Every structure is written in C-alpha cells, then in structure tokens.
Amino acid sequence: MRWIPWFALAALGAGFAAWLAAILEPVAGLLPQCAFKHLTGLACPTCGMTRCLEALGRWDWPAAFHWHPAVAACAALVPALALWDLRRAWRGDRYPRLPDAPAARVVLWLILLGVWVLQAARGI
Amino acid sequence: MGYPFAASLRALVRPGAAFDSPPPTLGRAVRDMAMVWLPLALANTAWTLWRALGTYDLLRRGGSPFGLLDRLGMDPTEVRDLIAMLPAPPGFGRVWPWLLLVVPLGVFGTWLHHAFWDHLGLWLLGGLKARRGFRTSLLAEAEALRIAAVGTLLGFLGYVPVLGGVLALPLLVLDGYLWLFRGFALAARHGCAPWRGLAATVVHAVLLGCFVLALVTLMLLMVRMAA
C-alpha cells in the first residue's frame, strides 16, 4: 500500500472534479440551496465550495479565493502535496503519523472555526 | 444456518458489543465488505439510474412528473429550455456495463473516503492515543460498512409506491444511525471511548458533509419524487 501515491491520485480526482464543475456550470443553477443556510440563514463551513470549484475549473483564482479561501488555498497546495507524495511512494516510505500534540489539534480547530466565521460573516 | 444479514442486524441492534471479537486481517475485512456491499450497491445504483434516466427523458420531452417543477418553485419553461439544451439520455442498455466499473470504484472510494475523514475526525478529538495508525481506521471502516450495507437493502423499501413515502422519514433516521454506527467500530478498534468514535463521524459530517450530503439527499429525493 505504501507504494501507492494516494494523495497524488486524489489530486488527479480533484482536478477532474474541477474540470467537470466548469463543464456543468450552465446547470449549476438547478442545484438546491445549502440546507443548513436555508434553515438557519447562516452559511455552513462548506458554503461557497461549489462556486469555488467552478471558479477553479475556469482557472479563475481570484474568484476561487473569494468563494472559499480555505479550499482555494488547499487547491494551491495540491501540486506540492502531489509531488511530495510521488517522492514518498517512489522511496517506499510510510505516511507520517498525525502529530500527537494537542496544540496541533487546537490550531486546526481554530482554522476550521475561523473559516466558518469568515464565510458566515461575509454571507457567502 | 441463520437468516441472511441476521448477524448484521444483531450488530446494529447491539453496536456496543458488535466489535468485541478480535479484529480480522485488513484483507479479509475488505473482502467481506466487498462481498456484501458490492452486489447491493450494484442493484441499487442500476435501479436508481434506470429511474433517473426515465425522469430525465420525461423532462426533456416537456413533461413535469408529479408537477415536480411547480413543487420546487421553479419556472418550468426556463428549466425545460435549459434541459432541452442538454443531450438526450443514453439508453440504460448502453450505460449499465459502465456500472460494473463505476460502482466498485464508488464502493472502494467511499470506504477510503470515510476512513480518511473519520481518522482525521478521531485525531481532532484526541481519539488516537493508542497510536494505532490509519490501517486500523481502514479495518474498522471495512467492518462497519459490511454491516451497514444492510441499510442499502432496506433502502429498496423506499422505492415501493406508497410504502416508500411512509418510510421516507424512518429510512432517513436509519441513514443517520448507519453513519454514526461507524463510530462504534472506530472506537473499538482504536481502543478509545465510544463517544469519541461517534463524534468523529459527526465531525466528518459537519466538516465536509453538511453541504454535500444535503445536496445529494435533496437530489435523490427529487429523483424519487419524479420517478
């Protein structure tokens, strides 16, 4: 299993999803509204992801950052991650374990909550 | 010899004791999951696709099954013009061989996806203290998804006319329970408290699923209402 570049394969899948989103953009208006936003009036943490994906499919990076900064930032990091994963798989190294430090978990929680607050405050 | 799925139903009724036995090897767990889930997923996808193609064709020809567009508050003319621009649907006979490729990819993709995000959720909640790696999450997910596949079988009841409408809400509750059920497997195999496993599946749902799941659920409901 360690010789399979899982993240690089996932990056290919994500690229395909962005390409597909751009193709399907004309029918995006048929998609129902986010159920969470519909019920509460507030954006959910993932609100803006579809529009961000469509923008990425058009290679429109400013729009992608506008709709969902976290997803656009992750997308920008995908090539680097894919290269690192290909190198890891080539060398047959295991994936590193997730850090056990509580601080790492707290930082990720704060980032996730921060993104949610940002999306809700902007009314995305 | 017991009834088919009797063991799965017992595990679903008593989830706390469902994963007390020593874990199987990962290969065996994945094989068992595939043997139970793949045939059910193939049948379910084929049935759903057949109905979806029929609905799509009906919409292209200007029909509005059960007044679907009116119920959704859409302008029927606008939607029909949009759909008329799209290509005609292929016949089911042309599409079904692709299911033999797409459904296994979907099944194994779902397994990997659940394992990845549940593992991350468990880490966020401090449930990986026993330092068992991602392989343990893969094993736990395979075991849980083999049992939860019974939900696909029960989901067929939702297609029965009248009964499907009556069972819509209970089946939705069952879907929610089957989502959480993976948490029991995660907790048992990672050696942490069950609440952390359950919460990991909730974190997964909240982080990535609240939009996507709601979207897919609504679209499936639309297809079911239309067919």
Side-chain angles (χ1 to χ4, degrees), chain B residues 149-168:
Chain B
V150 77
T152 309
L153 189 67
L154 295 173
F156 282 113
L157 294 172
Y159 289 116
V160 179
V162 183
L163 185 66
V166 174
L167 289 178

Side-chain angles (χ1 to χ4, degrees), chain A residues 8-18:
Chain A
L9 290 172
L12 268 180
F16 176 71

Side-chain angles (χ1 to χ4, degrees), chain B residues 34 36-48 99 103-104 106-107 149 152-153 156:
Chain B
V36 175
W37 193 13
L38 259 178
L40 290 171
L42 265 170
N44 187 41
T45 312
W47 181 244
T48 306
L99 295 184
V103 172
V107 162
T152 309
L153 189 67
F156 282 113

Side-chain angles (χ1 to χ4, degrees), chain A residues 20-31 54 58, chain B residues 78 82-83 85-86:
Chain A
L20 198 64
I23 285 183
L24 295 175
E25 199 173 356
V27 290
L30 288 175
L31 295 176
E54 285 169 14
R58 295 191 309 270
Chain B
E78 196 177 303
L82 196 63
I83 290 174
M85 286 163 53
L86 298 173

Side-chain angles (χ1 to χ4, degrees), chain A residues 35 46 50 97 99 105 108-109, chain B residues 123-124 129 131 133 207 211 214:
Chain A
T46 61
T50 307
R97 282 182 186 277
R105 290 196 290 271
L108 190 53
W109 273 117
Chain B
W123 173 73
L124 275 169
K129 293 288 186 196
R131 300 192 64 76
L207 286 184
F211 170 76

Side-chain angles (χ1 to χ4, degrees), chain B residues 61-96:
Chain B
R61 283 188 281 111
S64 177
F66 294 99
L68 177 69
L69 300 178
D70 303 329
R71 285 190 201 186
L72 292 171
M74 295 173 164
D75 178 2
T77 321
E78 196 177 303
V79 175
R80 273 178 211 135
D81 286 349
L82 196 63
I83 290 174
M85 286 163 53
L86 298 173
F92 182 75
R94 273 186 63 198
V95 176
W96 77 261

